[in-house]
Amino acid sequence: MSQKLLELTGAAPAAPAAMPAKPVSARLGKVVALGSLFSLLWSSAFVAGKIALQSAPPFALLAMRFGLASLCLVGLVVARSRRRRVPLRLEHLGILALAGILNNTVYLGLGWIALQTVPAGFATLLTSVYPLITSALAIPLLRERATWSRFAGLALGAAGVSIVVHHHVSAAGVAPLGVGLLLLGVLALACGTILLKRTAAHQDFLLVTTLQTVAGAVSLAVLAGATGEFHAIHWQASLVGALLYLAGGVSIGAALMWLWLLRNGVASNASAFHFLNPLFGTLIAFAVLGEPVNASDLLGGLPIAAGILLMTFAPGERDTSDVQRRE
């Protein structure tokens, strides 16, 4: 059994007198299965959002999504606090709230405004470069080491984005404004991650997730109320189903899967599952919405995925997006 495999799975060699440890292959298989499901849920969010946006405007829809998720997450935090106390430094509340606004309100607010005019598969593919942008920002802002693997990964990701954007703007007629909003949203998400890099490193993951979700729900509700979007909601079965899926499956289910991955010793490699997003996003949009699968999307998705893998698994690299690891 190689040391590299032990590090990846978080397993440790069993003591001579101890009971036999759970097979590493079974543990690794569970990690891969759950990580792939996490990526599947993350990739499906724009497709579910595309369906829900037919009945509700973006700010109101997001406010309801994060409002429902907040109620459930707060309940989980309260239930767990009865068993053990979870400390939180009060001076970090402002930073966590700001990160929640960047990660939820700005990123998804801009993204779902753009989603009204761009295909869901294209949106998922373009936003999958988030780990690459985060890693690039970490070099000057966090003084992380600049290596050939990072530059090569960034070059591959930029090449893939160029291929995808060129096709959708020139051939498919996607408005450049929608592309710009998506990229600005991803930049906000990367900035929120950088902001959390040191603040949340030793905080409880579930509590951090809850605080960010509540901050997003409150700020989005204010925006929706100020713009009168709550009055433009047309309630129907497709909206309710999409809303429950987004709140329960994505905002809560994917968050809990991420928590499990972090707790099982794969924090430094967890974001490698983002490399599946271009594939999952394209296939889900095709299966659910009937969006065509373009050769340029597949051609552009390959270097994006390769860039994410290269920056994640290169020797000596550490994933910058894993900012909420619990020590």
Side-chain angles (χ1 to χ4, degrees), residues 59 62 66 93-110 185 188-189 191-193 195-196 208 211-220 222-223:
F59 291 145
L62 288 169
F66 286 108
L93 282 176
I95 297 178
L96 294 176
L98 177 58
I101 292 173
L102 287 171
N103 294 342
N104 296 325
T105 307
V106 181
Y107 161 60
L108 286 175
L110 293 176
L189 179 62
C191 290
T193 298
L195 189 63
L196 286 169
V208 168
L211 290 172
Q212 289 188 80
T213 304
V214 171
V218 172
S219 57
L220 285 162
V222 171
L223 285 173

PDB file of all heavy atoms in Angstrom, residues 59 62 66 93-110 185 188-189 191-193 195-196 208 211-220 222-223:
ATOM      1  N   PHE A  59     -33.531  37.142  -7.999  1.00  0.00           N
ATOM      2  CA  PHE A  59     -33.290  37.465  -6.596  1.00  0.00           C
ATOM      3  C   PHE A  59     -34.325  36.808  -5.682  1.00  0.00           C
ATOM      4  O   PHE A  59     -33.996  36.288  -4.612  1.00  0.00           O
ATOM      5  CB  PHE A  59     -33.294  38.985  -6.384  1.00  0.00           C
ATOM      6  CG  PHE A  59     -32.128  39.689  -7.011  1.00  0.00           C
ATOM      7  CD1 PHE A  59     -32.281  40.954  -7.563  1.00  0.00           C
ATOM      8  CD2 PHE A  59     -30.877  39.096  -7.052  1.00  0.00           C
ATOM      9  CE1 PHE A  59     -31.203  41.605  -8.143  1.00  0.00           C
ATOM     10  CE2 PHE A  59     -29.793  39.741  -7.632  1.00  0.00           C
ATOM     11  CZ  PHE A  59     -29.958  41.005  -8.178  1.00  0.00           C
ATOM     12  N   LEU A  62     -33.594  33.008  -5.504  1.00  0.00           N
ATOM     13  CA  LEU A  62     -32.439  32.714  -4.664  1.00  0.00           C
ATOM     14  C   LEU A  62     -32.730  32.985  -3.189  1.00  0.00           C
ATOM     15  O   LEU A  62     -32.265  32.247  -2.307  1.00  0.00           O
ATOM     16  CB  LEU A  62     -31.241  33.538  -5.125  1.00  0.00           C
ATOM     17  CG  LEU A  62     -30.606  33.104  -6.448  1.00  0.00           C
ATOM     18  CD1 LEU A  62     -29.619  34.154  -6.934  1.00  0.00           C
ATOM     19  CD2 LEU A  62     -29.907  31.752  -6.297  1.00  0.00           C
ATOM     20  N   PHE A  66     -32.231  30.059  -0.389  1.00  0.00           N
ATOM     21  CA  PHE A  66     -31.344  30.140   0.765  1.00  0.00           C
ATOM     22  C   PHE A  66     -32.118  30.333   2.064  1.00  0.00           C
ATOM     23  O   PHE A  66     -31.612  29.993   3.132  1.00  0.00           O
ATOM     24  CB  PHE A  66     -30.321  31.262   0.562  1.00  0.00           C
ATOM     25  CG  PHE A  66     -29.249  30.905  -0.426  1.00  0.00           C
ATOM     26  CD1 PHE A  66     -29.208  31.486  -1.677  1.00  0.00           C
ATOM     27  CD2 PHE A  66     -28.282  29.966  -0.108  1.00  0.00           C
ATOM     28  CE1 PHE A  66     -28.235  31.147  -2.597  1.00  0.00           C
ATOM     29  CE2 PHE A  66     -27.295  29.618  -1.011  1.00  0.00           C
ATOM     30  CZ  PHE A  66     -27.273  30.204  -2.266  1.00  0.00           C
ATOM     31  N   LEU A  93     -17.398  37.088  12.562  1.00  0.00           N
ATOM     32  CA  LEU A  93     -18.765  37.082  12.042  1.00  0.00           C
ATOM     33  C   LEU A  93     -18.896  37.977  10.812  1.00  0.00           C
ATOM     34  O   LEU A  93     -19.542  37.614   9.823  1.00  0.00           O
ATOM     35  CB  LEU A  93     -19.749  37.537  13.127  1.00  0.00           C
ATOM     36  CG  LEU A  93     -20.115  36.495  14.191  1.00  0.00           C
ATOM     37  CD1 LEU A  93     -21.015  37.129  15.249  1.00  0.00           C
ATOM     38  CD2 LEU A  93     -20.807  35.300  13.550  1.00  0.00           C
ATOM     39  N   GLY A  94     -18.296  39.175  10.881  1.00  0.00           N
ATOM     40  CA  GLY A  94     -18.380  40.097   9.758  1.00  0.00           C
ATOM     41  C   GLY A  94     -17.741  39.539   8.505  1.00  0.00           C
ATOM     42  O   GLY A  94     -18.280  39.677   7.402  1.00  0.00           O
ATOM     43  N   ILE A  95     -16.573  38.901   8.676  1.00  0.00           N
ATOM     44  CA  ILE A  95     -15.872  38.323   7.524  1.00  0.00           C
ATOM     45  C   ILE A  95     -16.670  37.178   6.931  1.00  0.00           C
ATOM     46  O   ILE A  95     -16.796  37.056   5.704  1.00  0.00           O
ATOM     47  CB  ILE A  95     -14.460  37.847   7.936  1.00  0.00           C
ATOM     48  CG1 ILE A  95     -13.625  39.044   8.389  1.00  0.00           C
ATOM     49  CG2 ILE A  95     -13.777  37.116   6.790  1.00  0.00           C
ATOM     50  CD1 ILE A  95     -12.238  38.676   8.856  1.00  0.00           C
ATOM     51  N   LEU A  96     -17.252  36.343   7.796  1.00  0.00           N
ATOM     52  CA  LEU A  96     -18.049  35.216   7.307  1.00  0.00           C
ATOM     53  C   LEU A  96     -19.306  35.708   6.602  1.00  0.00           C
ATOM     54  O   LEU A  96     -19.722  35.138   5.581  1.00  0.00           O
ATOM     55  CB  LEU A  96     -18.421  34.295   8.466  1.00  0.00           C
ATOM     56  CG  LEU A  96     -17.251  33.563   9.137  1.00  0.00           C
ATOM     57  CD1 LEU A  96     -17.746  32.756  10.330  1.00  0.00           C
ATOM     58  CD2 LEU A  96     -16.545  32.654   8.146  1.00  0.00           C
ATOM     59  N   ALA A  97     -19.918  36.772   7.109  1.00  0.00           N
ATOM     60  CA  ALA A  97     -21.104  37.331   6.458  1.00  0.00           C
ATOM     61  C   ALA A  97     -20.740  37.907   5.091  1.00  0.00           C
ATOM     62  O   ALA A  97     -21.462  37.711   4.105  1.00  0.00           O
ATOM     63  CB  ALA A  97     -21.727  38.400   7.345  1.00  0.00           C
ATOM     64  N   LEU A  98     -19.607  38.625   5.019  1.00  0.00           N
ATOM     65  CA  LEU A  98     -19.172  39.187   3.741  1.00  0.00           C
ATOM     66  C   LEU A  98     -18.873  38.072   2.743  1.00  0.00           C
ATOM     67  O   LEU A  98     -19.234  38.169   1.558  1.00  0.00           O
ATOM     68  CB  LEU A  98     -17.934  40.065   3.945  1.00  0.00           C
ATOM     69  CG  LEU A  98     -17.317  40.677   2.684  1.00  0.00           C
ATOM     70  CD1 LEU A  98     -18.334  41.524   1.940  1.00  0.00           C
ATOM     71  CD2 LEU A  98     -16.079  41.491   3.043  1.00  0.00           C
ATOM     72  N   ALA A  99     -18.231  37.014   3.214  1.00  0.00           N
ATOM     73  CA  ALA A  99     -17.948  35.881   2.332  1.00  0.00           C
ATOM     74  C   ALA A  99     -19.239  35.248   1.838  1.00  0.00           C
ATOM     75  O   ALA A  99     -19.354  34.847   0.674  1.00  0.00           O
ATOM     76  CB  ALA A  99     -17.097  34.846   3.066  1.00  0.00           C
ATOM     77  N   GLY A 100     -20.246  35.164   2.714  1.00  0.00           N
ATOM     78  CA  GLY A 100     -21.528  34.617   2.301  1.00  0.00           C
ATOM     79  C   GLY A 100     -22.202  35.467   1.244  1.00  0.00           C
ATOM     80  O   GLY A 100     -22.823  34.945   0.309  1.00  0.00           O
ATOM     81  N   ILE A 101     -22.070  36.780   1.357  1.00  0.00           N
ATOM     82  CA  ILE A 101     -22.645  37.675   0.353  1.00  0.00           C
ATOM     83  C   ILE A 101     -21.925  37.518  -0.981  1.00  0.00           C
ATOM     84  O   ILE A 101     -22.550  37.481  -2.045  1.00  0.00           O
ATOM     85  CB  ILE A 101     -22.578  39.134   0.847  1.00  0.00           C
ATOM     86  CG1 ILE A 101     -23.526  39.311   2.038  1.00  0.00           C
ATOM     87  CG2 ILE A 101     -22.932  40.104  -0.265  1.00  0.00           C
ATOM     88  CD1 ILE A 101     -23.425  40.667   2.710  1.00  0.00           C
ATOM     89  N   LEU A 102     -20.592  37.417  -0.941  1.00  0.00           N
ATOM     90  CA  LEU A 102     -19.831  37.220  -2.180  1.00  0.00           C
ATOM     91  C   LEU A 102     -20.151  35.866  -2.816  1.00  0.00           C
ATOM     92  O   LEU A 102     -20.380  35.765  -4.026  1.00  0.00           O
ATOM     93  CB  LEU A 102     -18.334  37.320  -1.901  1.00  0.00           C
ATOM     94  CG  LEU A 102     -17.774  38.713  -1.616  1.00  0.00           C
ATOM     95  CD1 LEU A 102     -16.322  38.617  -1.143  1.00  0.00           C
ATOM     96  CD2 LEU A 102     -17.867  39.592  -2.857  1.00  0.00           C
ATOM     97  N   ASN A 103     -20.163  34.822  -1.996  1.00  0.00           N
ATOM     98  CA  ASN A 103     -20.314  33.459  -2.515  1.00  0.00           C
ATOM     99  C   ASN A 103     -21.740  33.133  -2.936  1.00  0.00           C
ATOM    100  O   ASN A 103     -21.936  32.301  -3.842  1.00  0.00           O
ATOM    101  CB  ASN A 103     -19.862  32.445  -1.461  1.00  0.00           C
ATOM    102  CG  ASN A 103     -18.384  32.534  -1.182  1.00  0.00           C
ATOM    103  OD1 ASN A 103     -17.619  33.093  -1.963  1.00  0.00           O
ATOM    104  ND2 ASN A 103     -17.951  31.999  -0.048  1.00  0.00           N
ATOM    105  N   ASN A 104     -22.715  33.740  -2.289  1.00  0.00           N
ATOM    106  CA  ASN A 104     -24.108  33.406  -2.587  1.00  0.00           C
ATOM    107  C   ASN A 104     -24.838  34.526  -3.330  1.00  0.00           C
ATOM    108  O   ASN A 104     -25.421  34.295  -4.389  1.00  0.00           O
ATOM    109  CB  ASN A 104     -24.860  33.083  -1.286  1.00  0.00           C
ATOM    110  CG  ASN A 104     -24.312  31.854  -0.598  1.00  0.00           C
ATOM    111  OD1 ASN A 104     -23.880  30.905  -1.245  1.00  0.00           O
ATOM    112  ND2 ASN A 104     -24.296  31.853   0.730  1.00  0.00           N
ATOM    113  N   THR A 105     -24.782  35.741  -2.781  1.00  0.00           N
ATOM    114  CA  THR A 105     -25.546  36.834  -3.374  1.00  0.00           C
ATOM    115  C   THR A 105     -24.936  37.313  -4.688  1.00  0.00           C
ATOM    116  O   THR A 105     -25.628  37.400  -5.713  1.00  0.00           O
ATOM    117  CB  THR A 105     -25.643  38.005  -2.381  1.00  0.00           C
ATOM    118  OG1 THR A 105     -26.157  37.524  -1.135  1.00  0.00           O
ATOM    119  CG2 THR A 105     -26.554  39.090  -2.922  1.00  0.00           C
ATOM    120  N   VAL A 106     -23.640  37.638  -4.669  1.00  0.00           N
ATOM    121  CA  VAL A 106     -23.010  38.200  -5.861  1.00  0.00           C
ATOM    122  C   VAL A 106     -22.795  37.121  -6.924  1.00  0.00           C
ATOM    123  O   VAL A 106     -23.197  37.281  -8.086  1.00  0.00           O
ATOM    124  CB  VAL A 106     -21.670  38.878  -5.509  1.00  0.00           C
ATOM    125  CG1 VAL A 106     -21.034  39.484  -6.765  1.00  0.00           C
ATOM    126  CG2 VAL A 106     -21.882  39.958  -4.463  1.00  0.00           C
ATOM    127  N   TYR A 107     -22.184  36.009  -6.529  1.00  0.00           N
ATOM    128  CA  TYR A 107     -21.892  34.938  -7.495  1.00  0.00           C
ATOM    129  C   TYR A 107     -23.163  34.407  -8.147  1.00  0.00           C
ATOM    130  O   TYR A 107     -23.300  34.393  -9.374  1.00  0.00           O
ATOM    131  CB  TYR A 107     -21.123  33.821  -6.796  1.00  0.00           C
ATOM    132  CG  TYR A 107     -21.156  32.493  -7.508  1.00  0.00           C
ATOM    133  CD1 TYR A 107     -20.657  32.362  -8.808  1.00  0.00           C
ATOM    134  CD2 TYR A 107     -21.679  31.360  -6.889  1.00  0.00           C
ATOM    135  CE1 TYR A 107     -20.694  31.143  -9.469  1.00  0.00           C
ATOM    136  CE2 TYR A 107     -21.712  30.141  -7.537  1.00  0.00           C
ATOM    137  CZ  TYR A 107     -21.227  30.035  -8.822  1.00  0.00           C
ATOM    138  OH  TYR A 107     -21.272  28.825  -9.474  1.00  0.00           O
ATOM    139  N   LEU A 108     -24.114  33.981  -7.327  1.00  0.00           N
ATOM    140  CA  LEU A 108     -25.327  33.392  -7.888  1.00  0.00           C
ATOM    141  C   LEU A 108     -26.280  34.456  -8.421  1.00  0.00           C
ATOM    142  O   LEU A 108     -27.004  34.218  -9.393  1.00  0.00           O
ATOM    143  CB  LEU A 108     -26.020  32.528  -6.837  1.00  0.00           C
ATOM    144  CG  LEU A 108     -25.326  31.198  -6.544  1.00  0.00           C
ATOM    145  CD1 LEU A 108     -26.016  30.471  -5.395  1.00  0.00           C
ATOM    146  CD2 LEU A 108     -25.279  30.316  -7.773  1.00  0.00           C
ATOM    147  N   GLY A 109     -26.290  35.639  -7.797  1.00  0.00           N
ATOM    148  CA  GLY A 109     -27.146  36.699  -8.313  1.00  0.00           C
ATOM    149  C   GLY A 109     -26.773  37.072  -9.733  1.00  0.00           C
ATOM    150  O   GLY A 109     -27.631  37.112 -10.627  1.00  0.00           O
ATOM    151  N   LEU A 110     -25.485  37.306  -9.977  1.00  0.00           N
ATOM    152  CA  LEU A 110     -25.023  37.611 -11.329  1.00  0.00           C
ATOM    153  C   LEU A 110     -25.206  36.408 -12.252  1.00  0.00           C
ATOM    154  O   LEU A 110     -25.608  36.548 -13.411  1.00  0.00           O
ATOM    155  CB  LEU A 110     -23.552  38.034 -11.304  1.00  0.00           C
ATOM    156  CG  LEU A 110     -23.233  39.359 -10.617  1.00  0.00           C
ATOM    157  CD1 LEU A 110     -21.727  39.588 -10.590  1.00  0.00           C
ATOM    158  CD2 LEU A 110     -23.928  40.515 -11.316  1.00  0.00           C
ATOM    159  N   GLY A 185     -19.251  36.859 -11.651  1.00  0.00           N
ATOM    160  CA  GLY A 185     -19.746  36.059 -10.544  1.00  0.00           C
ATOM    161  C   GLY A 185     -18.720  35.063 -10.052  1.00  0.00           C
ATOM    162  O   GLY A 185     -18.535  34.885  -8.844  1.00  0.00           O
ATOM    163  N   ALA A 188     -16.182  36.832  -8.005  1.00  0.00           N
ATOM    164  CA  ALA A 188     -16.686  37.097  -6.661  1.00  0.00           C
ATOM    165  C   ALA A 188     -16.587  35.853  -5.791  1.00  0.00           C
ATOM    166  O   ALA A 188     -16.205  35.923  -4.613  1.00  0.00           O
ATOM    167  CB  ALA A 188     -18.131  37.580  -6.728  1.00  0.00           C
ATOM    168  N   LEU A 189     -16.923  34.692  -6.360  1.00  0.00           N
ATOM    169  CA  LEU A 189     -16.816  33.428  -5.620  1.00  0.00           C
ATOM    170  C   LEU A 189     -15.378  33.146  -5.222  1.00  0.00           C
ATOM    171  O   LEU A 189     -15.093  32.724  -4.098  1.00  0.00           O
ATOM    172  CB  LEU A 189     -17.370  32.284  -6.470  1.00  0.00           C
ATOM    173  CG  LEU A 189     -17.327  30.880  -5.868  1.00  0.00           C
ATOM    174  CD1 LEU A 189     -18.159  30.811  -4.596  1.00  0.00           C
ATOM    175  CD2 LEU A 189     -17.812  29.850  -6.876  1.00  0.00           C
ATOM    176  N   CYS A 191     -13.018  35.402  -4.792  1.00  0.00           N
ATOM    177  CA  CYS A 191     -12.643  36.369  -3.760  1.00  0.00           C
ATOM    178  C   CYS A 191     -13.211  35.966  -2.403  1.00  0.00           C
ATOM    179  O   CYS A 191     -12.554  36.127  -1.367  1.00  0.00           O
ATOM    180  CB  CYS A 191     -13.129  37.765  -4.138  1.00  0.00           C
ATOM    181  SG  CYS A 191     -12.253  38.513  -5.531  1.00  0.00           S
ATOM    182  N   GLY A 192     -14.441  35.452  -2.390  1.00  0.00           N
ATOM    183  CA  GLY A 192     -15.018  34.968  -1.141  1.00  0.00           C
ATOM    184  C   GLY A 192     -14.225  33.816  -0.567  1.00  0.00           C
ATOM    185  O   GLY A 192     -14.029  33.708   0.651  1.00  0.00           O
ATOM    186  N   THR A 193     -13.739  32.948  -1.421  1.00  0.00           N
ATOM    187  CA  THR A 193     -12.918  31.822  -0.984  1.00  0.00           C
ATOM    188  C   THR A 193     -11.594  32.309  -0.402  1.00  0.00           C
ATOM    189  O   THR A 193     -11.155  31.818   0.646  1.00  0.00           O
ATOM    190  CB  THR A 193     -12.651  30.871  -2.163  1.00  0.00           C
ATOM    191  OG1 THR A 193     -13.896  30.349  -2.614  1.00  0.00           O
ATOM    192  CG2 THR A 193     -11.758  29.718  -1.738  1.00  0.00           C
ATOM    193  N   LEU A 195     -11.073  35.187   0.930  1.00  0.00           N
ATOM    194  CA  LEU A 195     -11.402  35.842   2.187  1.00  0.00           C
ATOM    195  C   LEU A 195     -11.524  34.838   3.329  1.00  0.00           C
ATOM    196  O   LEU A 195     -11.154  35.106   4.474  1.00  0.00           O
ATOM    197  CB  LEU A 195     -12.708  36.616   2.026  1.00  0.00           C
ATOM    198  CG  LEU A 195     -13.134  37.540   3.168  1.00  0.00           C
ATOM    199  CD1 LEU A 195     -12.126  38.662   3.356  1.00  0.00           C
ATOM    200  CD2 LEU A 195     -14.515  38.121   2.883  1.00  0.00           C
ATOM    201  N   LEU A 196     -12.042  33.658   3.005  1.00  0.00           N
ATOM    202  CA  LEU A 196     -12.232  32.616   4.017  1.00  0.00           C
ATOM    203  C   LEU A 196     -10.980  31.787   4.270  1.00  0.00           C
ATOM    204  O   LEU A 196     -10.946  31.014   5.220  1.00  0.00           O
ATOM    205  CB  LEU A 196     -13.362  31.671   3.577  1.00  0.00           C
ATOM    206  CG  LEU A 196     -14.781  32.200   3.676  1.00  0.00           C
ATOM    207  CD1 LEU A 196     -15.725  31.264   2.958  1.00  0.00           C
ATOM    208  CD2 LEU A 196     -15.191  32.356   5.128  1.00  0.00           C
ATOM    209  N   VAL A 208     -19.852  27.488   9.683  1.00  0.00           N
ATOM    210  CA  VAL A 208     -19.443  28.453   8.659  1.00  0.00           C
ATOM    211  C   VAL A 208     -20.420  28.425   7.482  1.00  0.00           C
ATOM    212  O   VAL A 208     -20.831  29.471   6.967  1.00  0.00           O
ATOM    213  CB  VAL A 208     -18.005  28.165   8.188  1.00  0.00           C
ATOM    214  CG1 VAL A 208     -17.660  28.960   6.926  1.00  0.00           C
ATOM    215  CG2 VAL A 208     -17.010  28.494   9.292  1.00  0.00           C
ATOM    216  N   LEU A 211     -23.728  30.150   8.536  1.00  0.00           N
ATOM    217  CA  LEU A 211     -23.618  31.609   8.608  1.00  0.00           C
ATOM    218  C   LEU A 211     -23.592  32.230   7.214  1.00  0.00           C
ATOM    219  O   LEU A 211     -24.231  33.265   6.962  1.00  0.00           O
ATOM    220  CB  LEU A 211     -22.374  32.001   9.395  1.00  0.00           C
ATOM    221  CG  LEU A 211     -22.416  31.718  10.896  1.00  0.00           C
ATOM    222  CD1 LEU A 211     -21.052  31.972  11.529  1.00  0.00           C
ATOM    223  CD2 LEU A 211     -23.477  32.582  11.570  1.00  0.00           C
ATOM    224  N   GLN A 212     -22.872  31.617   6.294  1.00  0.00           N
ATOM    225  CA  GLN A 212     -22.822  32.132   4.929  1.00  0.00           C
ATOM    226  C   GLN A 212     -24.187  32.021   4.247  1.00  0.00           C
ATOM    227  O   GLN A 212     -24.594  32.918   3.499  1.00  0.00           O
ATOM    228  CB  GLN A 212     -21.781  31.359   4.119  1.00  0.00           C
ATOM    229  CG  GLN A 212     -20.353  31.648   4.508  1.00  0.00           C
ATOM    230  CD  GLN A 212     -19.375  31.002   3.550  1.00  0.00           C
ATOM    231  OE1 GLN A 212     -19.115  31.504   2.470  1.00  0.00           O
ATOM    232  NE2 GLN A 212     -18.847  29.862   3.941  1.00  0.00           N
ATOM    233  N   THR A 213     -24.884  30.933   4.489  1.00  0.00           N
ATOM    234  CA  THR A 213     -26.204  30.731   3.881  1.00  0.00           C
ATOM    235  C   THR A 213     -27.204  31.749   4.410  1.00  0.00           C
ATOM    236  O   THR A 213     -27.999  32.316   3.640  1.00  0.00           O
ATOM    237  CB  THR A 213     -26.700  29.304   4.166  1.00  0.00           C
ATOM    238  OG1 THR A 213     -25.738  28.356   3.690  1.00  0.00           O
ATOM    239  CG2 THR A 213     -28.023  29.044   3.471  1.00  0.00           C
ATOM    240  N   VAL A 214     -27.170  32.007   5.719  1.00  0.00           N
ATOM    241  CA  VAL A 214     -28.069  32.996   6.312  1.00  0.00           C
ATOM    242  C   VAL A 214     -27.756  34.389   5.758  1.00  0.00           C
ATOM    243  O   VAL A 214     -28.675  35.158   5.426  1.00  0.00           O
ATOM    244  CB  VAL A 214     -27.949  32.983   7.848  1.00  0.00           C
ATOM    245  CG1 VAL A 214     -28.701  34.159   8.453  1.00  0.00           C
ATOM    246  CG2 VAL A 214     -28.482  31.666   8.407  1.00  0.00           C
ATOM    247  N   ALA A 215     -26.462  34.733   5.648  1.00  0.00           N
ATOM    248  CA  ALA A 215     -26.086  36.040   5.100  1.00  0.00           C
ATOM    249  C   ALA A 215     -26.584  36.191   3.668  1.00  0.00           C
ATOM    250  O   ALA A 215     -27.081  37.259   3.268  1.00  0.00           O
ATOM    251  CB  ALA A 215     -24.567  36.210   5.159  1.00  0.00           C
ATOM    252  N   GLY A 216     -26.466  35.120   2.880  1.00  0.00           N
ATOM    253  CA  GLY A 216     -26.970  35.158   1.514  1.00  0.00           C
ATOM    254  C   GLY A 216     -28.476  35.308   1.467  1.00  0.00           C
ATOM    255  O   GLY A 216     -29.014  36.088   0.664  1.00  0.00           O
ATOM    256  N   ALA A 217     -29.182  34.598   2.337  1.00  0.00           N
ATOM    257  CA  ALA A 217     -30.648  34.661   2.350  1.00  0.00           C
ATOM    258  C   ALA A 217     -31.137  36.061   2.704  1.00  0.00           C
ATOM    259  O   ALA A 217     -32.050  36.593   2.063  1.00  0.00           O
ATOM    260  CB  ALA A 217     -31.199  33.639   3.342  1.00  0.00           C
ATOM    261  N   VAL A 218     -30.527  36.673   3.713  1.00  0.00           N
ATOM    262  CA  VAL A 218     -30.956  38.002   4.151  1.00  0.00           C
ATOM    263  C   VAL A 218     -30.690  39.045   3.070  1.00  0.00           C
ATOM    264  O   VAL A 218     -31.567  39.858   2.730  1.00  0.00           O
ATOM    265  CB  VAL A 218     -30.253  38.388   5.463  1.00  0.00           C
ATOM    266  CG1 VAL A 218     -30.538  39.847   5.812  1.00  0.00           C
ATOM    267  CG2 VAL A 218     -30.702  37.474   6.596  1.00  0.00           C
ATOM    268  N   SER A 219     -29.472  39.050   2.516  1.00  0.00           N
ATOM    269  CA  SER A 219     -29.119  40.050   1.505  1.00  0.00           C
ATOM    270  C   SER A 219     -29.944  39.876   0.227  1.00  0.00           C
ATOM    271  O   SER A 219     -30.368  40.857  -0.397  1.00  0.00           O
ATOM    272  CB  SER A 219     -27.626  39.978   1.179  1.00  0.00           C
ATOM    273  OG  SER A 219     -27.254  38.677   0.746  1.00  0.00           O
ATOM    274  N   LEU A 220     -30.201  38.641  -0.161  1.00  0.00           N
ATOM    275  CA  LEU A 220     -31.011  38.399  -1.352  1.00  0.00           C
ATOM    276  C   LEU A 220     -32.471  38.786  -1.132  1.00  0.00           C
ATOM    277  O   LEU A 220     -33.130  39.296  -2.043  1.00  0.00           O
ATOM    278  CB  LEU A 220     -30.913  36.923  -1.750  1.00  0.00           C
ATOM    279  CG  LEU A 220     -29.597  36.512  -2.416  1.00  0.00           C
ATOM    280  CD1 LEU A 220     -29.421  35.003  -2.375  1.00  0.00           C
ATOM    281  CD2 LEU A 220     -29.556  37.015  -3.861  1.00  0.00           C
ATOM    282  N   VAL A 222     -33.453  41.205   0.804  1.00  0.00           N
ATOM    283  CA  VAL A 222     -33.482  42.667   0.731  1.00  0.00           C
ATOM    284  C   VAL A 222     -33.510  43.116  -0.722  1.00  0.00           C
ATOM    285  O   VAL A 222     -34.283  44.013  -1.107  1.00  0.00           O
ATOM    286  CB  VAL A 222     -32.266  43.258   1.460  1.00  0.00           C
ATOM    287  CG1 VAL A 222     -32.152  44.754   1.199  1.00  0.00           C
ATOM    288  CG2 VAL A 222     -32.369  42.994   2.964  1.00  0.00           C
ATOM    289  N   LEU A 223     -32.676  42.515  -1.564  1.00  0.00           N
ATOM    290  CA  LEU A 223     -32.642  42.874  -2.984  1.00  0.00           C
ATOM    291  C   LEU A 223     -33.966  42.554  -3.671  1.00  0.00           C
ATOM    292  O   LEU A 223     -34.493  43.357  -4.457  1.00  0.00           O
ATOM    293  CB  LEU A 223     -31.504  42.119  -3.681  1.00  0.00           C
ATOM    294  CG  LEU A 223     -30.089  42.616  -3.418  1.00  0.00           C
ATOM    295  CD1 LEU A 223     -29.068  41.670  -4.045  1.00  0.00           C
ATOM    296  CD2 LEU A 223     -29.908  44.028  -3.962  1.00  0.00           C
TER     297      LEU A 223
END
